[in-house]
Amino acid sequence: MNKLLLTIISLFLAVSGLFAQNQLKPSDLTEGKWVNRSGGYIANPIINPDTVTARSGVDKVERFKTLEFNGDGSFNMDSAKERYTGKWRIADEHLIMDFNAKKLMHLRKNTNPNQRSGYSTQNFTLQLPQRVLSFQNGELVGQPGDSGQVYKNVDGALSGLFNFWEFTGFANFTWGHFVMLIVGLLFIFLAIRYDFEPMLLIPIGTGILIGNIPMFQVTDFNLQLGIYEPGSVLNYLYQGVVQGWYPPLIFLGIGAMTDFSSLISNPKLMLLGAAAQVGIFLTLIGALMLGFAPPEAGAIGIIGGADGPTAIFISSKLANGINVMANGQVVKNLIGPIAIAAYSYMALVPVIQPPVIKLLTSKKERLIKMKPPRAVTKLEKVLFPIVGLLLTAYIAPTALPLLGMLFFGNLLKESGVTKRLAVTASNALIDIITMLLGITVGASTQADVFLTPSSIKIFILGAASFVVATAGGVIGAKIMNLFFKKGNKINPMVGAAGVSAVPDSARVVQQMGLKEDPSNHLLMHAMAPNVAGVIGSAVAAGVLLSFLM
């Protein structure tokens, strides 16, 4: 009898304790903070409005949501770093939360081709619906249809640690960031260890590291840190790439550094610079076959010209993620992948070109010695940039920002009366722009933007385009030799310098010539098609812009 009575009393106490545990009291709410971690947040502050509407094709992540209840009946809810306020009350053992209206601003990807900012904003007032939570086993739990709404009570200090953790790079790390960090370190390694275009690869490699530091990102929350977040320092600097400011300034410096004497003395070598541009148009066809839209394919094709600034310039006009085609499709933003591909292969010219040259030439052809270039007068040097500007700009006015600055820089150099300006353009100015261009192009390779099937295709096309461009110049020289007498023949290796990687391609030809015959100096001859390639790639870009804009 006593055992039965004890059993009844124990069951009564257990049920009473369970009831007391689930009975909601104001003091239960106001102690500490209530934390929930649930998914459904879009991990990108700037998104396409069409994608937002569809709620598909976007990365969704888990984020902390924190509730803080005050003794005066008010509450604060921090959700994705936005604070919502309201009033709370207890009714029928449930927690009733009524939210105040909150003013917010959407950050949206701009798809208006007439607005070049890249972003649009939309101010609106959000009224969250009433929320009902119940108290179960020491937790606040949402209604059956309110999935994921389970809040656990934690100390205020611990809640602060959760908030700190969410802002760290460790909390936002993905394997994509790891891949891009390896790429950035590889660029820096190649620049330092093998001296592959260190002036380009070190800024770009460092930019890749900067752009792939994982940071807290969520819809409509702008830390103003990343390169794609409006208002950030990197974003302001990146406008020089997006708007196409940097490439013309680079061309100004190139023009002030370049001596066109070799081209003026032997103008027929300009044909080799034109022959090498076959890489541009074959890459364009390849990009179309791989499914890229015509404007995107045109921007990708310029990689075949081996000219980084020109590739960036035409990408900013055609493949900028803003322009809308006739069918309503918005072009992809391919500036980052195209720029990285162009500069990567420019740095690898000493690796890519020699095998192609050897494959297409015989030992006898590589031993051909060319006549020394004739002396060029000052008048010819002064007239060349003026005549070159008028001629090329009339052919392709859309390339005027590049060609105008190139020939302007060269006129500063050759006029002899603007030495200070020429020195500034060829030293301080081009160095500053190269640093800004490299760091921002590198930072634009943010993992979630850069690691796409399109980037892989672009890199494959870029490698093929360099091979084709080199082959085009060499084969062009061999065809020209069919029409020249024995003493006037061109060493076919010189044709490989027709790609506009100045002066790397010319140096490759010089080194290969000396290896075959230590007395055969081809540098001055190779510089002619090399600088012609710079002009040729800019003209080709202008032609493509005329067709595709």
Side-chain angles (χ1 to χ4, degrees):
M1 185 66 181
N2 291 337
K3 289 183 178 180
L4 180 61
L5 182 61
L6 288 172
T7 301
I8 293 172
I9 293 172
S10 298
L11 288 173
F12 175 77
L13 291 173
V15 171
S16 299
L18 182 62
F19 178 78
Q21 188 179 13
N22 290 331
Q23 186 176 10
L24 185 59
K25 296 178 293 185
S27 59
D28 294 326
L29 297 175
T30 56
E31 293 181 2
K33 294 185 179 181
W34 298 83
V35 176
N36 159 262
R37 183 172 172 85
S38 56
Y41 297 100
I42 301 173
N44 191 342
I46 313 297
I47 40 187
N48 192 314
D50 299 331
T51 305
V52 175
T53 303
R55 290 281 168 176
S56 61
V58 293
D59 294 329
K60 296 180 181 179
V61 298
E62 291 186 343
R63 296 294 186 204
F64 283 111
K65 186 184 294 182
T66 304
L67 288 173
E68 181 180 13
F69 297 96
N70 305 313
D72 61 358
S74 64
F75 72 85
N76 299 316
M77 183 178 78
D78 292 328
S79 178
K81 307 304 180 248
E82 289 286 358
R83 174 158 290 190
Y84 302 85
T85 62
K87 292 289 185 179
W88 64 272
R89 55 192 168 89
I90 296 175
D92 298 328
E93 299 302 326
H94 287 88
L95 172 65
I96 312 297
M97 299 171 57
D98 295 303
F99 288 87
N100 298 325
K102 180 176 176 61
K103 292 184 178 180
L104 293 171
M105 182 179 70
H106 279 321
L107 299 171
R108 291 293 179 259
K109 180 178 178 182
N110 170 42
T111 55
N112 179 3
N114 297 316
Q115 181 183 340
R116 298 286 295 177
S117 68
Y119 309 103
S120 61
T121 58
Q122 176 188 354
N123 295 311
F124 68 103
T125 300
L126 177 64
Q127 177 64 64
L128 290 175
Q130 185 183 76
R131 185 163 297 176
V132 180
L133 302 174
S134 59
F135 192 63
Q136 300 177 14
N137 300 321
E139 298 176 341
L140 289 175
V141 182
Q143 298 300 300
D146 198 2
S147 61
Q149 299 302 317
V150 178
Y151 293 86
K152 298 181 183 294
N153 187 260
V154 299
D155 182 78
L158 185 58
S159 173
L161 287 175
F162 287 154
N163 191 64
F164 166 75
W165 166 255
E166 200 160 48
F167 274 105
T168 65
F170 300 105
N172 298 286
F173 179 81
T174 66
W175 285 108
H177 291 115
F178 177 76
V179 170
M180 293 312 302
L181 291 177
I182 295 298
V183 172
L185 292 173
L186 177 62
F187 274 38
I188 295 172
F189 171 76
L190 292 175
I192 296 174
R193 179 66 178 83
Y194 296 105
D195 199 30
F196 285 171
E197 289 289 344
M199 298 286 284
L200 293 173
L201 291 194
I202 287 183
I204 291 176
T206 306
I208 293 174
L209 299 184
I210 292 173
N212 285 279
I213 300 299
M215 65 183 68
F216 181 92
Q217 293 188 105
V218 74
T219 313
D220 299 330
F221 179 75
N222 182 7
L223 274 173
Q224 296 188 349
L225 291 177
I227 195 165
Y228 295 110
E229 296 179 319
S232 73
V233 174
L234 281 174
N235 182 256
Y236 283 125
L237 295 177
Y238 188 51
Q239 295 309 302
V241 176
V242 175
Q243 306 287 356
W245 305 333
Y246 293 153
L249 295 175
I250 293 282
F251 264 64
L252 174 62
I254 292 173
M257 290 190 296
T258 302
D259 186 351
F260 287 101
S261 297
S262 56
L263 182 60
I264 297 171
S265 68
N266 198 354
K268 65 175 178 288
L269 295 180
M270 186 180 293
L271 296 175
L272 299 181
Q277 306 313 311
V278 67
I280 293 176
F281 297 99
L282 290 182
T283 306
L284 166 65
I285 295 171
L288 290 172
M289 293 176 64
L290 287 178
F292 287 98
E296 299 163 358
I300 294 168
I302 291 296
I303 299 174
D307 190 341
T310 302
I312 292 172
F313 179 77
I314 194 171
S315 300
S316 71
K317 303 296 182 185
L318 297 179
N320 51 22
I322 298 175
N323 293 343
V324 181
M325 294 181 290
N327 61 2
Q329 179 183 347
V330 180
V331 297
K332 299 187 185 80
N333 182 357
L334 301 177
I335 298 174
I338 289 173
I340 295 295
Y343 280 117
S344 298
Y345 292 123
M346 282 175 64
L348 293 175
V349 159
V351 177
I352 297 173
Q353 287 199 314
V356 179
I357 295 172
K358 282 195 171 184
L359 180 66
L360 296 175
T361 58
S362 64
K363 176 77 172 178
K364 183 179 179 181
E365 288 175 323
R366 293 196 293 272
L367 289 172
I368 293 176
K369 287 188 176 182
M370 299 173 63
K371 290 181 178 180
R374 68 174 179 83
V376 177
T377 65
K378 181 178 179 179
L379 178 61
E380 289 176 298
K381 290 183 178 182
V382 171
L383 288 177
F384 180 82
I386 298 173
V387 174
L389 169 61
L390 296 175
L391 181 62
T392 57
Y394 269 85
I395 294 173
T398 46
L400 187 59
L402 299 177
L403 294 169
M405 297 299 266
L406 175 73
F407 289 120
F408 170 52
N410 189 247
L411 186 59
L412 291 177
K413 173 180 179 292
E414 301 298 352
S415 66
V417 294
T418 52
K419 290 183 179 179
R420 285 173 52 193
L421 299 181
V423 169
T424 299
S426 61
N427 290 276
L429 179 61
I430 196 170
D431 288 344
I432 292 170
I433 300 302
T434 298
M435 286 189 291
L436 294 178
L437 179 67
I439 203 79
T440 50
V441 163
S444 71
T445 62
Q446 194 170 302
D448 57 341
V449 176
F450 187 81
L451 292 178
T452 63
S454 295
S455 297
I456 296 172
K457 293 177 184 178
I458 288 170
F459 269 80
I460 294 173
L461 287 168
S465 69
F466 263 63
V467 172
V468 171
T470 301
V474 173
I475 293 171
K478 296 179 75 165
I479 293 174
M480 289 175 66
N481 279 340
L482 297 176
F483 303 94
F484 295 150
K485 294 180 180 179
K486 186 175 181 180
N488 295 323
K489 290 190 179 294
I490 301 169
N491 189 313
M493 292 194 296
V494 170
V499 299
S500 55
V502 180
D504 293 334
S505 292
R507 286 175 182 166
V508 168
V509 173
Q510 166 76 352
Q511 291 168 358
M512 291 187 69
L514 292 175
K515 189 175 180 180
E516 299 289 341
D517 179 357
S519 65
N520 192 8
H521 295 275
L522 296 173
L523 183 61
M524 289 303 296
H525 301 290
M527 283 302 298
N530 208 186
V531 296
V534 175
I535 300 171
S537 63
V539 171
V543 171
L544 289 176
L545 285 173
S546 300
F547 277 96
L548 300 173
M549 281 191 71

